[in-house]
Amino acid sequence: MQAKITESVKELLEFCFKTDPILMEQYHIEAPSTLERCVERTYKDMVSCNDLVVYRLSDNNETVGYFGVEEYEGEHFLTGFMLNKGYRDDNYKSDFWRIVNETIKKKSPEYFCGVYQKNNRAVDFLQKSGGEEYLKIRNSDGHKIVFFK
């Protein structure tokens, strides 16, 4: 698996979200909702970030997911991520974390990742991957966000 910076963020989100209807039915912050609404919300959240760089993950030219890296007030964040359905086995998860760590740790030895608490699938993924819960906050929309370190 490899990662390459992309400027086609909205198209990438749409492609990835289409692989996982359950995301839009249960786990996305807008759930239950449509593909278009979920893509718009995620895109809006991502473009509101300072210095966000989005990486397309691919394997043999097939898109397998994405992740975003952001720097904010001197701290580094994994801001948005997804492995497409069909690419969530242990090998892909291991490659995902290897690439994320190599990418972010070039800039900082540690980083944070915030996910909406509603997305318990992402929360479980971060916990099982060694992430430690660091902080819980409520954003301006009233949604709870859990940060991992």
Side-chain angles (χ1 to χ4, degrees):
M1 187 164 42
Q2 61 188 33
K4 185 176 179 183
I5 294 173
T6 184
E7 299 295 324
S8 304
V9 175
K10 192 179 272 191
E11 293 82 3
L12 179 61
L13 292 172
E14 184 173 341
F15 181 86
C16 292
F17 287 8
K18 278 182 184 177
T19 71
D20 189 0
I22 294 172
L23 169 73
M24 295 170 285
E25 293 168 12
Q26 293 180 334
Y27 299 110
H28 194 276
I29 194 61
E30 295 289 335
S33 194
T34 64
L35 172 66
E36 294 78 18
R37 188 169 174 186
C38 291
V39 168
E40 273 304 316
R41 172 59 186 263
T42 302
Y43 182 72
K44 181 183 139 213
D45 286 351
M46 292 177 98
V47 297
S48 72
C49 298
N50 295 323
D51 301 320
L52 179 70
V53 178
V54 178
Y55 295 83
R56 175 185 171 264
L57 294 167
S58 63
D59 189 32
N60 296 320
N61 277 342
E62 294 289 323
T63 298
V64 301
Y66 72 88
F67 68 94
V69 177
E70 174 190 13
E71 184 176 345
Y72 179 74
E73 295 186 0
E75 300 291 347
H76 291 83
F77 293 84
L78 171 61
T79 303
F81 63 89
M82 181 172 180
L83 282 173
N84 294 348
K85 193 171 181 182
Y87 297 97
R88 295 179 182 163
D89 65 30
D90 289 342
N91 290 329
Y92 280 104
K93 289 177 185 177
S94 178
D95 279 353
F96 169 82
W97 285 117
R98 178 185 55 77
I99 290 169
V100 166
N101 287 327
E102 286 173 0
T103 303
I104 298 177
K105 289 186 176 184
K106 289 177 186 174
K107 301 175 183 189
S108 175
E110 67 179 13
Y111 60 91
F112 300 91
C113 181
V115 295
Y116 289 109
Q117 187 173 6
K118 175 181 182 175
N119 190 347
N120 60 359
R121 192 169 62 174
V123 169
D124 289 346
F125 177 63
L126 291 167
Q127 288 173 330
K128 288 178 182 175
S129 301
E132 297 176 22
E133 191 176 304
Y134 179 74
L135 174 71
K136 285 184 183 178
I137 64 167
R138 206 174 276 279
N139 71 1
S140 60
D141 293 341
H143 298 288
K144 291 181 183 175
I145 300 174
V146 182
F147 285 90
F148 289 87
K149 189 174 185 179

